[in-house]
Amino acid sequence: MAPSKKKHASNQACVIPGGFTVLPVQFNSDSVAQHKLYVKEHKVRSDRSSHRPMDRTLFVLNIPPYCSEDVAKQMFSQFGSVQSVELMDHPGTSPQDSGPKLSKIFRPAAKQGFKVGYVVFENSSSIAAAKSHPHNVALVVCTEKCLVKTGTQKWIQQYTESFIRTDNLQKIVDSFMEGYDKRKKEEEEKQKEEAKQQQEDEEGWVKVTRGTKARPHSEAANKKTLQAVIRKNKRKELMNFYTWQHRNTQKEHIAELRKKFEEDKQKIALLRVQRKFKPY
């Protein structure tokens, strides 16, 4: 796409195709080089998470690696009070939403690269202020209030922070295990309640007692009924598989009865001849 020939005024925002507003960023006040951020109001309907309200969330692209969540929060605070900042490798739902929140100690090492971010403001007016920011006024990353370390100083800081005190680690582990035990207990109680509500026999009938109403089948109940049907069909298949054996056994039994009947007839005839047969 060819660039637009129309020049922006010095006090106007620069908007590019896709609805993104360009925000220039420089590392410190003495830097000559600038970096570009692309921001847009977060309006994804599929993402209905409570921590990303659509009217107060700003979606940010091309965040440099030296910008942490604290640095981004300080940088965007000039548009208004920032509630939270979330940095990710790719847009989408945070992986922490599907499970318990883990401490940074147990998280995998973060990838070094450009990030996407979700900046949540406390007021919706901050979104308009960020989108109308003049394109010739750069946001400063490293200030006196927020010092950003790079190079060797950053490596030394990361190495120092990698050592964890034993008592702090023990507190984190105990807190996680308490939450795990609580979740397991809640799951067991829920399963017991479902089992109590759905008392079924092997045929899938629900036992209804006085003062209670028949409840619809749950997923666990349907699964149990399906297993009972499968077992019943297997028994039928086994009987059908050995049907020829049953038939042969019955034929042999009938032949044996007939043979015994003929023998008894001969004995009776012999007794009659000898006049020893007295049926009454």
Side-chain angles (χ1 to χ4, degrees):
M1 182 179 291
S4 177
K5 297 182 180 179
K6 186 177 179 181
K7 295 183 179 180
H8 293 275
S10 60
N11 59 349
Q12 291 184 354
C14 178
V15 182
I16 62 175
F20 287 93
T21 301
V22 180
L23 293 182
V25 175
Q26 61 186 33
F27 185 74
N28 52 35
S29 57
D30 299 332
S31 299
V32 179
Q34 290 186 350
H35 181 77
K36 305 297 183 182
L37 298 181
Y38 305 98
V39 301
K40 183 180 181 180
E41 186 176 358
H42 179 60
K43 290 184 177 180
V44 180
R45 294 184 178 180
S46 59
D47 188 2
R48 298 183 177 273
S49 53
S50 59
H51 64 282
R52 293 179 189 171
M54 292 187 182
D55 57 338
R56 295 188 290 111
T57 304
L58 189 69
F59 178 57
V60 187
L61 290 176
N62 206 29
I63 300 176
Y66 53 79
C67 271
S68 62
E69 293 183 354
D70 295 335
V71 174
K73 185 175 182 179
Q74 179 67 26
M75 186 169 55
F76 283 96
S77 61
Q78 69 179 41
F79 302 118
S81 182
V82 178
Q83 179 178 335
S84 63
V85 175
E86 184 181 3
L87 301 183
M88 302 174 60
D89 296 327
H90 304 284
T93 306
S94 174
Q96 298 179 9
D97 296 343
S98 58
K101 187 175 181 180
L102 299 177
S103 173
K104 63 180 181 179
I105 301 173
F106 300 103
R107 296 177 193 170
K111 297 180 181 179
Q112 298 297 326
F114 290 87
K115 305 282 186 179
V116 298
Y118 296 89
V119 182
V120 181
F121 294 96
E122 293 186 358
N123 298 319
S124 57
S125 59
S126 301
I127 301 292
K131 292 171 63 177
S132 61
H133 184 72
H135 73 282
N136 61 338
V137 180
L139 303 178
V140 181
V141 176
C142 183
T143 60
E144 295 181 356
K145 295 182 179 179
C146 182
L147 296 176
V148 180
K149 295 182 179 180
T150 58
T152 308
Q153 295 180 353
K154 182 179 180 180
W155 296 341
I156 294 173
Q157 182 181 1
Q158 291 178 348
Y159 178 75
T160 305
E161 292 177 352
S162 63
F163 293 95
I164 307 169
R165 294 182 55 182
T166 308
D167 53 350
N168 292 339
L169 180 61
Q170 187 65 43
K171 290 180 181 179
I172 295 173
V173 173
D174 293 341
S175 177
F176 177 82
M177 292 306 299
E178 288 178 1
Y180 175 79
D181 294 338
K182 184 178 180 180
R183 290 191 301 272
K184 291 294 291 183
K185 187 176 181 180
E186 291 177 353
E187 291 177 1
E188 291 177 357
E189 291 179 354
K190 185 177 180 180
Q191 292 177 357
K192 289 181 180 179
E193 186 67 22
E194 290 181 355
K196 185 178 180 180
Q197 293 177 358
Q198 299 290 342
Q199 294 180 357
E200 299 182 356
D201 56 11
E202 294 184 356
E203 299 296 331
W205 295 95
V206 181
K207 181 179 180 181
V208 182
T209 58
R210 181 177 297 179
T212 60
K213 297 181 180 179
R215 297 177 173 83
H217 286 202
S218 63
E219 184 177 356
N222 293 335
K223 186 176 180 181
K224 185 178 178 182
T225 304
L226 180 61
Q227 291 177 352
V229 173
I230 292 173
R231 289 195 300 268
K232 187 175 181 180
N233 292 337
K234 284 185 178 180
R235 288 196 297 269
K236 288 183 178 179
E237 291 177 1
L238 187 63
M239 291 179 64
N240 294 332
F241 181 77
Y242 294 104
T243 301
W244 62 275
Q245 289 187 352
H246 289 281
R247 288 178 181 175
N248 291 338
T249 304
Q250 290 177 355
K251 288 180 179 180
E252 292 175 358
H253 182 63
I254 292 173
E256 186 177 355
L257 291 176
R258 285 179 178 176
K259 182 180 179 180
K260 190 175 181 181
F261 177 72
E262 293 296 333
E263 292 177 355
D264 291 342
K265 283 177 65 176
Q266 293 176 4
K267 288 181 180 180
I268 292 173
L270 182 62
L271 292 174
R272 281 180 176 176
V273 172
Q274 296 176 357
R275 295 183 178 181
K276 295 181 179 180
F277 177 69
K278 296 179 180 181
Y280 303 107

